[in-house]
Amino acid sequence: MFRVLEFGGNWSGPMVGQYLQALGCQVIRVESRDHLDAVRQLPAPRDCGAKIEGATAADNPYFAQLNAGKQSVELDLRTPDGLAAARALAAGADVIVENLAPGAIDRLGMSYAVLAAGNPALCMLSMPTLHPGDPRESLRGYAPVFTGLGGLESQVGYPGEITGMLMTGWGDPVGGMTGLLGLLAALHRRQQTGLGSYVSVSQIKAVTWQLLAPFTQWRDGTKATDALSVVLPTTDPSRWIAASLTDDEWRPQSGEPIAEWSAVRSAEDIVAALAASGHAAAVVQRIDTASDSDRARRRGVVEDERSEVIGTWHRYHVPWRVEGRVPKVHGAVPRLGEHTEQFVNKSAPCAQATVDSGRDDAGSV
């Protein structure tokens, strides 16, 4: 079982740790009360805006989804003892995942070069906004920054209209999944060679693979396809169709504008008719509709989780199979500093103070 040390917060970094935990790794979060993960500070969940009797921040499914089954060590990295404890944990880790502010891990004296000198099998994932060496490398950011500067926002909106906004969190899971795949490749290499690797994923560049223009196919030096897409309504207002054709291509077949033709048909009928005519098409759904679909439940990607306080909420698992099974996100949600005693030498003055303060759960989830 790999031991993973996680520095950072919000969505993208903890998402990597979440999936590694589901794959069987031991994941230790290094946290600080003075720089608390923003997701730990979310308010108590509500029901359509209304307060839920007895609900607290500890009942928020967002933090539970990203951190179930992990262990929490509280350290003050501004103190020599706290920093020494973090470095000692890093020396015994198989994997380090960090999405701290640009350069922060280096300033703490825990760059990959430093750590790998004493731990050559270490695999480390850094998830900066931009790669070192970029003129904007010091830029801090989160999801809307990634999709904005990555160009993905330019794909949103109808012709002639101001660009719209994607789901505000879109860049976080894309960056997290990209980083996870790079890290899994590094771990595979480690199994083959015994050597570690350093993986750096610019979260802005991670979203660029979703841009249409840079990936237009070329053959013999000429553009092969422009693959214009149209978004079509269906009889179900929560389901739409994305298809690779234009209205001019469709009218000769149906005799009417394609949007009027599709609006009186089900999503399944539209996809079947377009496929029979040689046009690629797929259903586009709202996230709540897609995540609660029969297909997602049959695959085991989504399961209902029951809370005595807030009722039923969706637990999301790893969206692929390993040896025929879907790895499950599972385990209790750690209190802030709950496992400090287990991993930090209690005789160290800083560690003892941390252990004591870690028992105060105010503000934690």
Side-chain angles (χ1 to χ4, degrees):
M1 178 174 65
F2 291 129
R3 172 173 286 188
V4 180
L5 206 58
E6 181 185 290
F7 295 88
N10 292 306
W11 188 349
S12 59
M15 175 184 173
V16 176
Q18 167 204 14
Y19 280 9
L20 291 175
Q21 189 273 343
L23 290 167
C25 297
Q26 177 190 45
V27 182
I28 304 169
R29 287 172 54 87
V30 177
E31 303 190 73
S32 167
R33 190 173 299 271
D34 293 329
H35 296 279
L36 205 57
D37 182 354
V39 183
R40 269 206 187 271
Q41 302 178 70
L42 289 174
R46 289 173 170 257
D47 182 8
C48 298
K51 289 184 177 180
I52 301 175
E53 186 67 29
T56 68
D59 299 302
N60 201 303
Y62 189 3
F63 189 84
Q65 172 64 52
L66 289 172
N67 296 286
K70 296 180 183 178
Q71 294 164 303
S72 174
V73 170
E74 185 190 354
L75 297 173
D76 186 348
L77 300 182
R78 299 170 303 175
T79 67
D81 289 332
L83 192 53
R87 289 173 179 168
L89 284 171
D94 298 292
V95 178
I96 291 179
V97 177
E98 68 93 7
N99 68 327
L100 297 172
I105 201 76
D106 293 348
R107 292 190 293 273
L108 292 171
M110 290 191 291
S111 67
Y112 180 72
V114 170
L115 295 177
N119 185 4
L122 176 69
C123 291
M124 183 170 178
L125 170 65
S126 291
M127 302 173 65
T129 306
L130 287 154
H131 286 303
D134 188 287
R136 303 162 296 173
E137 66 177 302
S138 63
L139 180 69
R140 301 184 183 192
Y142 62 112
V145 175
F146 305 152
T147 53
L149 292 183
L152 202 58
E153 300 291 350
S154 67
Q155 308 294 301
V156 182
Y158 293 101
E161 293 187 359
I162 297 174
T163 298
M165 183 66 176
L166 289 167
M167 183 189 86
T168 54
W170 186 264
D172 280 335
V174 171
M177 189 65 74
T178 305
L180 175 67
L181 293 176
L183 184 56
L184 291 176
L187 288 170
H188 177 72
R189 176 178 180 268
R190 167 180 157 144
Q191 287 186 310
Q192 303 299 312
T193 67
L195 298 175
S197 300
Y198 178 62
V199 179
S200 178
V201 172
S202 161
Q203 295 193 72
I204 285 180
K205 292 184 179 180
V207 304
T208 59
W209 67 267
Q210 297 178 309
L211 297 174
L212 294 176
F215 294 94
T216 302
Q217 296 180 5
W218 291 75
R219 296 175 187 162
D220 301 324
T222 58
K223 188 179 291 187
T225 176
D226 238 340
L228 294 175
S229 295
V230 62
V231 180
L232 305 172
T234 73
T235 53
D236 183 344
S238 71
R239 306 179 81 199
W240 294 71
I241 301 296
S244 59
L245 77 162
T246 64
D247 191 60
D248 291 339
E249 290 176 305
W250 182 253
R251 270 190 208 238
Q253 300 180 53
S254 67
E256 60 183 320
I258 189 170
E260 294 180 11
W261 169 84
S262 72
V264 295
R265 288 170 169 79
S266 70
E268 289 73 18
D269 288 346
I270 297 168
V271 171
L274 293 177
S277 302
H279 300 293
V283 179
V284 179
Q285 303 180 79
R286 294 186 339 210
I287 184 62
D288 57 343
T289 305
S291 66
D292 204 28
S293 67
D294 290 340
R295 179 174 180 270
R297 291 184 176 276
R298 282 197 307 269
R299 291 183 61 210
V301 175
V302 180
E303 292 181 338
D304 288 337
E305 194 82 11
R306 180 68 187 171
S307 165
E308 293 182 2
V309 178
I310 65 172
T312 301
W313 57 280
H314 290 339
R315 167 88 73 183
Y316 297 91
H317 300 294
V318 178
W320 61 76
R321 290 185 177 90
V322 177
E323 298 179 345
R325 298 187 305 109
V326 173
K328 302 293 187 179
V329 176
H330 62 280
V333 180
R335 301 189 309 275
L336 179 64
E338 179 179 352
H339 303 93
T340 306
E341 287 188 44
Q342 181 177 340
F343 295 104
V344 177
N345 183 358
K346 290 184 291 184
S347 64
C350 160
Q352 183 63 55
T354 301
V355 170
D356 290 343
S357 63
R359 295 185 176 126
D360 173 11
D361 297 321
S364 68
V365 178

